[in-house]
Amino acid sequence: MKKIYFLLCALISGLSFAQVTFNPGIRVGANISHLSDGPAQDYWYYNDSQGYHYINNVYDIKSKVDFYVGFQANIRFAKFYALQPEVYYTRQGGKLESKTPGVDPKTVSLSYVGAAVVNKFYIDKFNLHFGPTLELLTDHKEIDHPTDADLGLLFGAGYDITKNIGVEARVKKGFVHIFNDHTNVTFQAGVYYTFNLKK
């Protein structure tokens, strides 16, 4: 018990006397996104000489490539840990390929303004990070009445190529059903640039 108490005191003391630094930056990269939880469906009626007929159309969901761009504020509390709030714009969705012959595929597009609170743990030039996300829908195409907001978690890793430039890869999983039973799943790969602030 004394050893645990000593380690906790050492950790708190190290954080207390460490020089906290603040460095803003920008992030940009590619999204490879899709919609989870099985095939998508829609339906419609059509009329011919024999009356109205009901059609249930089923789609296979494929990945869609788009982009994200945003700002970050890296608050470095210790050599091994930083808290990084982020705001960003991201375009997600998926491609729907119909199983019904003669029905054209369509691309679902979901645009969000989002925010994340990212915990970053550093090992030399590498970092591992995770945190919660909140995204507000700003635009949508090829989808009816999607949910206005999404909550999720992100997990990822990064590497500082130089003091200012780095690369990152993340997986972001939403937990809100955007439409029907489908949720957002997005893989991100990109770069970040950190600005040095004078002391």
Side-chain angles (χ1 to χ4, degrees), residues 4-21:
I4 294 174
Y5 179 75
F6 174 77
L7 289 174
L8 287 174
C9 288
L11 178 61
I12 293 171
S13 298
L15 291 175
S16 299
F17 290 103
Q19 183 178 4
V20 177
T21 60

Side-chain angles (χ1 to χ4, degrees), residues 110-127:
L110 299 163
S111 299
Y112 295 94
V113 171
V117 180
V118 181
N119 298 277
K120 301 186 76 170
F121 297 89
Y122 291 86
I123 306 171
D124 196 13
K125 293 185 177 182
F126 290 94
N127 65 79

Side-chain angles (χ1 to χ4, degrees), residues 43-63:
Y43 60 89
W44 67 87
Y45 292 91
Y46 75 94
N47 187 22
D48 62 13
S49 60
Q50 297 179 346
Y52 285 93
H53 299 268
Y54 169 80
I55 296 294
N56 182 24
N57 191 29
V58 178
Y59 296 90
D60 282 332
I61 301 176
K62 306 296 183 180
S63 296

Side-chain angles (χ1 to χ4, degrees), residues 26-197:
I26 56 176
R27 305 170 51 245
V28 63
N31 286 333
I32 302 175
S33 60
H34 71 276
L35 302 167
S36 68
D37 300 326
Q41 300 185 51
D42 61 14
Y43 60 89
W44 67 87
Y45 292 91
Y46 75 94
N47 187 22
D48 62 13
S49 60
Q50 297 179 346
Y52 285 93
H53 299 268
Y54 169 80
I55 296 294
N56 182 24
N57 191 29
V58 178
Y59 296 90
D60 282 332
I61 301 176
K62 306 296 183 180
S63 296
K64 168 181 175 289
V65 178
D66 223 306
F67 75 95
Y68 70 90
V69 61
F71 299 94
Q72 64 185 32
N74 187 280
I75 308 170
R76 193 77 171 258
F77 290 99
K79 184 178 180 180
F80 62 88
Y81 175 74
L83 187 67
Q84 183 170 287
E86 299 175 357
V87 293
Y88 55 86
Y89 173 78
T90 178
R91 288 175 48 146
Q92 301 165 190
K95 292 183 178 180
L96 306 186
E97 296 184 358
S98 176
K99 294 184 177 181
T100 303
V103 178
D104 294 332
K106 59 183 181 180
T107 300
V108 171
S109 182
L110 299 163
S111 299
Y112 295 94
V113 171
V117 180
V118 181
N119 298 277
K120 301 186 76 170
F121 297 89
Y122 291 86
I123 306 171
D124 196 13
K125 293 185 177 182
F126 290 94
N127 65 79
L128 301 174
H129 50 266
F130 72 92
T133 64
L134 170 63
E135 298 177 345
L136 304 178
L137 186 70
T138 59
D139 191 22
H140 61 88
K141 295 179 181 178
E142 297 290 352
I143 183 175
D144 294 327
H145 311 296
T147 307
D148 290 333
D150 191 16
L151 292 170
L153 284 175
L154 65 84
F155 300 89
Y159 178 77
D160 295 331
I161 299 173
T162 69
K163 187 177 180 180
N164 302 100
I165 300 173
V167 293
E168 63 183 7
R170 294 179 174 181
V171 175
K172 183 161 59 73
K173 175 66 171 70
F175 296 107
V176 176
H177 289 167
I178 301 304
F179 74 103
N180 297 334
D181 292 328
H182 301 290
T183 58
N184 283 312
V185 180
T186 306
F187 172 78
Q188 297 182 324
V191 298
Y192 53 87
Y193 183 87
T194 303
F195 298 96
N196 293 329
L197 297 183

